[in-house]
Amino acid sequence: MLGIVPAAGRGSRIQPLGFSKELLPVGSRIDGQTERPCAVSEYLVRRMVQAGVDKICFIIGSGKSDILEYYAAGYGEAAALFVVQPQPVGLCDAIFRAAPLVAPDEVVLVGLPDTIWFPEDGFCHLPDDQLSFLLFPVDSPEFFDAVVTDDDERVIEIQVKRQDAATNWVWGAFKMPGHILHRLAALWRERDGRDEYIGTLINAYLAGGGVAYGVKAGSAYVDVGTFNGYRTALRLLENGVPSAHQQPATIMPGAHSHVPVVPGEGA
């Protein structure tokens, strides 16, 4: 099982930093008996490892050697692989640079390394044999990719940063078998690589007879790519997150969190 972590972006919304935005310290983790700062990307990597990945492929830019140094030894039981995206020209380009490393029958997980979301076992709610998106409720879906589904969880359309989004459920991570990743990569090349966002490519995939599912299992989602989002993430980690039986949290980038203060699941 392979996890793909696209980490080649410039991080312009939260610059200037003296390091890659994916290494921004957010919260902490326990290393043996010592509490240490936790890089924001570790939250995604930890969730991938918990879901069973044994390899994590970081897509990095040519100036992001600090990510290579940080994860060179792997993470937990997972080995680290590194692929360079020479220019930050979009999420699709980044993800498909990992395609040569993926076997057709291998399960692939994809997430964004500047986000923090719950529940921690979110990937485990997605099937291994289908293209499926982990969905989260947010206050302002126009800042995200809103995912419209039918009553059977089949994706009808992904609305990319649309002011008139028809739903407040947005994708935060996704999973698929390797052969579907290769189908998507081939479709992207057939479309001359013009899809910068995964949502527009998925819409073309659906129009051509492909199938995808949206699973509304997310309870809290924060984009840490802005200073306001960073503050929201700190509050989320400090206060706790909703448990599975509570009303899902609704968070937008930079907004005040609507996460109830409850004990329980932490990062």
Side-chain angles (χ1 to χ4, degrees):
M1 186 180 291
L2 176 75
I4 299 177
V5 180
R10 297 187 181 94
S12 58
R13 296 177 300 165
I14 202 168
Q15 293 294 349
L17 295 171
F19 47 85
S20 296
K21 64 171 181 174
E22 294 82 7
L23 300 184
L24 181 70
V26 183
S28 62
R29 59 181 172 84
I30 301 299
D31 183 4
Q33 300 297 317
T34 304
E35 184 175 17
R36 301 187 187 280
C38 187
V40 62
S41 54
E42 287 188 62
Y43 292 92
L44 171 63
V45 170
R46 184 185 306 164
R47 283 148 176 70
M48 288 180 165
V49 171
Q50 181 174 338
V53 304
D54 56 355
K55 302 183 294 295
I56 301 175
C57 181
F58 296 88
I59 313 301
I60 61 175
S62 57
K64 290 197 162 189
S65 60
D66 54 350
I67 295 177
L68 187 154
E69 294 171 2
Y70 194 86
Y71 287 108
Y75 197 89
E77 298 299 317
L81 310 173
F82 298 89
V83 174
V84 174
Q85 182 186 29
Q87 298 294 330
V89 291
L91 182 59
C92 287
D93 180 87
I95 291 171
F96 297 139
R97 286 183 180 273
L101 304 175
V102 178
D105 59 347
E106 186 168 25
V107 179
V108 180
L109 281 58
V110 182
L112 304 177
D114 57 356
T115 63
I116 297 176
W117 47 260
F118 291 89
E120 288 192 38
D121 66 349
F123 280 118
C124 299
H125 292 270
L126 304 179
D128 290 347
D129 59 347
Q130 300 283 348
L131 172 59
S132 55
F133 292 85
L134 182 61
L135 305 185
F136 299 84
V138 298
D139 288 332
S140 298
E142 66 270 17
F143 292 107
F144 300 93
D145 286 6
V147 182
V148 181
T149 59
D150 64 15
D151 293 338
D152 296 321
E153 296 187 331
R154 286 177 61 134
V155 175
I156 299 172
E157 180 188 13
I158 296 183
Q159 299 176 337
V160 180
K161 296 178 175 59
R162 273 179 40 179
Q163 293 295 319
D164 61 344
T167 177
N168 72 321
W169 289 91
V170 305
W171 74 262
F174 54 100
K175 181 195 279 189
M176 73 194 104
H179 65 87
I180 292 183
L181 176 72
H182 290 296
R183 282 184 62 188
L184 292 174
L187 177 61
W188 180 69
R189 290 191 295 269
E190 289 171 11
R191 291 165 59 83
D192 298 321
R194 66 178 180 269
D195 297 287
E196 178 180 358
Y197 301 106
I198 196 72
T200 60
L201 180 66
I202 296 302
N203 289 336
Y205 175 72
L206 298 176
V211 176
Y213 292 87
V215 180
K216 296 177 179 178
S219 59
Y221 183 87
V222 181
D223 174 2
V224 192
T226 67
F227 284 109
N228 286 335
Y230 176 74
R231 297 186 187 101
T232 302
L234 294 178
R235 290 195 295 270
L236 171 65
L237 296 173
E238 179 179 358
N239 294 336
V241 297
S243 60
H245 64 274
Q246 292 179 294
Q247 183 69 23
T250 55
I251 301 176
M252 63 171 280
H256 293 294
S257 169
H258 294 284
V259 181
V261 179
V262 294
E265 186 177 12

